[in-house]
Amino acid sequence: MTRLTEGDLKGLDNQIRDYDKNLKKICGASLMEIAALAGDITTASFNEAMTKHTVGVIPITSGQGIIGNFSQSVKSFIDYLGFHAFVTNSHDVSGIAEAIARKASLIFMADDNQFIAVNLNAKKVVDNGEATGRGFAAALSLLAGGLKNRQVLVVGAGRVGTHCVNYLLAEGARVAVFDIDKNKISSLVPNITIEDNLSDAVSKYRYIIDASPEQGFMTLDNLHPETRISAPGMPLGLTADAFAAFEGKVIHDPLQIGVATMLAMAVNKS
Ligand code: PYL
C-alpha cells in the first residue's frame, strides 16, 4: 500500500463537490450511490444512518506519523455525504477517548499498516483496503452498465486488488490478474486467468482496474481507445498524455471512494 502524501490530499476537501459531479458524468452515479452499491446497502438506509451516527476521525502519530490533510480530508468526505463528523483535537488513545466522550458512534483512524472504520454500536471493523477494492470495482461496473460475462483485467493482487477480484467474481465477470509477484496470484486461481505480460494485457482488455503502485504502464500506444479504467492505485498507472486522452473514461482518486465505501460498510446492518 502506497503511503499518501500531504500533496496527494491538498485541496480535496474543497473539491469534493466537483469531484462528485465528475463521477456522475463518468459512471452515471454519485459517490454515495457508488458507496451504497459497494457497501451493499440502499441509499435510503444510508440516508437513515446519517441521522443516527456521529463520526470521529482520529489522527494517529504512530510509525511515520501524521499525514497533513489526511484527517481533514476524511472528515470532509464524510461531512459531504451528510454525516456529522469531527476531527478530534487529541490524537491516538486520547483521541479515541475524546471521540467517545463527544458521542461518536463511528470512528475512523489509520496507522501505517491499516486504515479502519469502527462501528462502536455494532462492534464492527471495516478495512479501507476491502472498501476501496469494492468501491472501485462497483464504480467500473456502473460505468460499464454491469460486468457480468465481461472480461476485466486487475493489475495488482495486493489487499485492494484482491477485493476488486472478489467483487468482480461475485458479479459474474471473467477476471484476469497481473502481478509481478506470482505468489500473490496463486491464492486466486482457478477462479481467475493469470496474465504474464503487463503491456500485452493492457492492450487486450477493455475494462481495467489499476490496483498497483506501478507508474506509466498504460500509454497511448497500448490502450485501446474504448478501454475504461478504474484506478485505486497510487500513483496513477496512466502516463500524463494517456490520462488526458482518456478523460471521462478513468475513475481515480486517492481516498474518496474508499472512505465513502467504508462508511457504507460500517453502517450496513447485516
Ligand atoms: C489509507 C491510505 C490509502 C493509501 N495509502 C494509505 C496510507 O497512506 N496509509 C497511511 C495513513 C497514515 C495516517 C496518519 C494520520 O494522519 O493519522 N497515521
Side-chain angles (χ1 to χ4, degrees), residues 157 161-162 165-166 169 177 184-192:
T162 300
V165 170
N166 294 342
L169 291 174
V177 180
K184 284 188 180 175
I185 300 181
S186 54
S187 64
L188 299 171
V189 175
N191 300 317
I192 54 99

Side-chain angles (χ1 to χ4, degrees), residues 7-234:
D8 290 330
L9 302 168
K10 191 170 167 44
L12 297 187
D13 51 353
N14 301 323
Q15 297 157 18
I16 183 66
R17 196 167 302 282
D18 289 342
Y19 174 72
D20 199 10
K21 214 182 290 174
N22 191 43
L23 266 185
K24 283 180 207 136
K25 217 164 67 183
I26 296 176
C27 56
S30 67
L31 181 62
M32 170 178 268
E33 288 162 338
I34 292 168
L37 179 63
D40 201 17
I41 63 170
T42 63
T43 46
S45 55
F46 214 167
N47 282 311
E48 186 201 346
M50 66 181 63
T51 65
K52 295 204 170 86
H53 286 283
T54 291
V55 185
V57 181
I58 303 154
I60 301 296
T61 63
S62 66
Q64 297 182 66
I66 283 172
I67 299 175
N69 299 323
F70 182 83
S71 294
Q72 177 52 35
S73 299
V74 172
K75 177 226 185 273
S76 70
F77 305 153
I78 296 169
D79 266 341
Y80 172 76
L81 289 166
F83 287 70
H84 170 61
F86 59 85
V87 177
T88 56
N89 300 309
S90 304
H91 43 71
D92 305 318
V93 174
S94 305
I96 295 171
E98 179 189 334
I100 292 170
R102 291 172 65 177
K103 308 293 181 219
S105 48
L106 302 176
I107 56 178
F108 280 62
M109 52 189 164
D111 64 14
D112 293 350
N113 304 307
Q114 200 170 7
F115 176 21
I116 61 172
V118 183
N119 182 324
L120 297 169
N121 302 340
K123 298 182 180 59
K124 180 179 199 178
V125 176
V126 173
D127 173 72
N128 170 263
E130 179 176 358
T132 301
R134 295 182 60 83
F136 276 85
L140 185 66
S141 177
L142 287 163
L143 185 158
L147 288 169
K148 188 168 171 48
N149 295 326
R150 299 221 174 147
Q151 289 189 305
V152 183
L153 170 68
V154 176
V155 180
R159 197 184 312 176
V160 172
T162 300
H163 285 290
C164 290
V165 170
N166 294 342
Y167 187 94
L168 294 168
L169 291 174
E171 186 164 335
R174 288 151 54 201
V175 183
V177 180
F178 173 88
D179 194 295
I180 45 176
D181 178 352
K182 295 303 172 232
N183 295 326
K184 284 188 180 175
I185 300 181
S186 54
S187 64
L188 299 171
V189 175
N191 300 317
I192 54 99
T193 304
I194 295 177
E195 285 293 348
D196 292 314
N197 181 295
L198 180 53
S199 191
D200 291 351
V202 166
S203 301
K204 205 190 304 183
Y205 292 87
R206 298 296 170 264
Y207 296 100
I208 298 175
I209 292 187
D210 170 17
S212 81
E214 205 60 37
Q215 284 184 282
F217 67 90
M218 289 183 279
T219 70
L220 289 176
D221 296 332
N222 62 16
L223 278 171
H224 183 280
E226 286 315 302
T227 301
R228 299 296 189 270
I229 300 154
S230 185
M234 286 292 290

Side-chain angles (χ1 to χ4, degrees), residues 213-265:
E214 205 60 37
Q215 284 184 282
F217 67 90
M218 289 183 279
T219 70
L220 289 176
D221 296 332
N222 62 16
L223 278 171
H224 183 280
E226 286 315 302
T227 301
R228 299 296 189 270
I229 300 154
S230 185
M234 286 292 290
L236 183 60
L238 285 141
T239 55
D241 55 354
F243 190 32
F246 277 75
E247 192 188 350
K249 298 172 185 171
V250 179
I251 299 160
H252 172 67
D253 74 46
L255 209 50
Q256 293 90 320
I257 287 176
V259 167
T261 304
M262 288 169 81
L263 198 51
M265 292 171 71

